[in-house]
Amino acid sequence: MPKIIQNYEGCIGCGSCAAVCPDFWDMDYDKVKAILKGGKKNEQTKEYELDVNTQEDIKCNQEAVDVCPVTVIKIIK
């Protein structure tokens, strides 16, 4: 199952991911970071992870990957 991975600490809070894929991304304006909605923190890697199951979800998140200026979002297939 494909998985969305976010390096939360590396996020600069530009909001591009939330703009192109709002079903999966939101902004935490207090911390100036993007939030992967429903993502769970992997205590080993310290990254947030979320399983996705449709091509539509992958496509939306691929747009988030493509617009992220600091490449902190990736999709593992």
mmCIF file of all heavy atoms in Angstrom, residues 27 29-30 43 53 62 68 70:
data_model
loop_
_atom_site.group_PDB
_atom_site.id
_atom_site.type_symbol
_atom_site.label_atom_id
_atom_site.label_comp_id
_atom_site.label_asym_id
_atom_site.label_seq_id
_atom_site.Cartn_x
_atom_site.Cartn_y
_atom_site.Cartn_z
ATOM 1 N N MET A 27 -2.576 23.570 7.585
ATOM 2 C CA MET A 27 -1.496 24.361 8.168
ATOM 3 C C MET A 27 -1.683 24.530 9.667
ATOM 4 O O MET A 27 -2.791 24.779 10.132
ATOM 5 C CB MET A 27 -1.426 25.741 7.506
ATOM 6 C CG MET A 27 -1.005 25.718 6.057
ATOM 7 S SD MET A 27 0.624 24.979 5.783
ATOM 8 C CE MET A 27 1.651 26.097 6.725
ATOM 9 N N TYR A 29 -0.680 27.105 11.941
ATOM 10 C CA TYR A 29 -0.130 28.461 11.872
ATOM 11 C C TYR A 29 0.628 28.849 13.142
ATOM 12 O O TYR A 29 1.490 29.719 13.097
ATOM 13 C CB TYR A 29 -1.225 29.473 11.543
ATOM 14 C CG TYR A 29 -1.728 29.289 10.135
ATOM 15 C CD1 TYR A 29 -2.969 28.710 9.873
ATOM 16 C CD2 TYR A 29 -0.942 29.667 9.046
ATOM 17 C CE1 TYR A 29 -3.413 28.524 8.576
ATOM 18 C CE2 TYR A 29 -1.376 29.489 7.744
ATOM 19 C CZ TYR A 29 -2.613 28.918 7.518
ATOM 20 O OH TYR A 29 -3.042 28.734 6.232
ATOM 21 N N ASP A 30 0.335 28.184 14.263
ATOM 22 C CA ASP A 30 1.087 28.472 15.490
ATOM 23 C C ASP A 30 2.538 28.025 15.362
ATOM 24 O O ASP A 30 3.448 28.693 15.837
ATOM 25 C CB ASP A 30 0.450 27.770 16.703
ATOM 26 C CG ASP A 30 -0.906 28.367 17.058
ATOM 27 O OD1 ASP A 30 -1.149 29.552 16.740
ATOM 28 O OD2 ASP A 30 -1.723 27.638 17.653
ATOM 29 N N GLU A 43 7.946 6.832 15.479
ATOM 30 C CA GLU A 43 8.895 7.200 16.537
ATOM 31 C C GLU A 43 10.345 6.892 16.170
ATOM 32 O O GLU A 43 11.260 7.526 16.682
ATOM 33 C CB GLU A 43 8.517 6.520 17.853
ATOM 34 C CG GLU A 43 7.229 7.061 18.460
ATOM 35 C CD GLU A 43 7.257 8.558 18.727
ATOM 36 O OE1 GLU A 43 8.316 9.109 19.091
ATOM 37 O OE2 GLU A 43 6.210 9.201 18.567
ATOM 38 N N ASN A 53 -4.915 4.681 -0.494
ATOM 39 C CA ASN A 53 -5.267 3.519 -1.288
ATOM 40 C C ASN A 53 -5.838 3.789 -2.669
ATOM 41 O O ASN A 53 -6.074 2.857 -3.392
ATOM 42 C CB ASN A 53 -6.214 2.574 -0.538
ATOM 43 C CG ASN A 53 -6.989 3.215 0.577
ATOM 44 O OD1 ASN A 53 -6.772 4.345 0.933
ATOM 45 N ND2 ASN A 53 -7.883 2.476 1.158
ATOM 46 N N GLN A 62 0.960 13.595 -4.982
ATOM 47 C CA GLN A 62 2.096 13.805 -5.877
ATOM 48 C C GLN A 62 2.218 15.288 -6.231
ATOM 49 O O GLN A 62 3.328 15.809 -6.344
ATOM 50 C CB GLN A 62 1.967 12.959 -7.156
ATOM 51 C CG GLN A 62 3.169 13.060 -8.069
ATOM 52 C CD GLN A 62 4.457 12.592 -7.415
ATOM 53 O OE1 GLN A 62 4.540 11.482 -6.934
ATOM 54 N NE2 GLN A 62 5.479 13.445 -7.398
ATOM 55 N N CYS A 68 6.423 21.195 -3.144
ATOM 56 C CA CYS A 68 7.143 21.445 -1.893
ATOM 57 C C CYS A 68 8.554 21.959 -2.197
ATOM 58 O O CYS A 68 9.365 21.242 -2.786
ATOM 59 C CB CYS A 68 7.208 20.174 -1.057
ATOM 60 S SG CYS A 68 8.098 20.404 0.505
ATOM 61 N N VAL A 70 11.052 22.434 -0.243
ATOM 62 C CA VAL A 70 12.136 21.862 0.562
ATOM 63 C C VAL A 70 12.111 20.330 0.565
ATOM 64 O O VAL A 70 12.808 19.701 1.352
ATOM 65 C CB VAL A 70 12.120 22.411 2.016
ATOM 66 C CG1 VAL A 70 12.550 23.866 2.028
ATOM 67 C CG2 VAL A 70 10.764 22.241 2.666
#
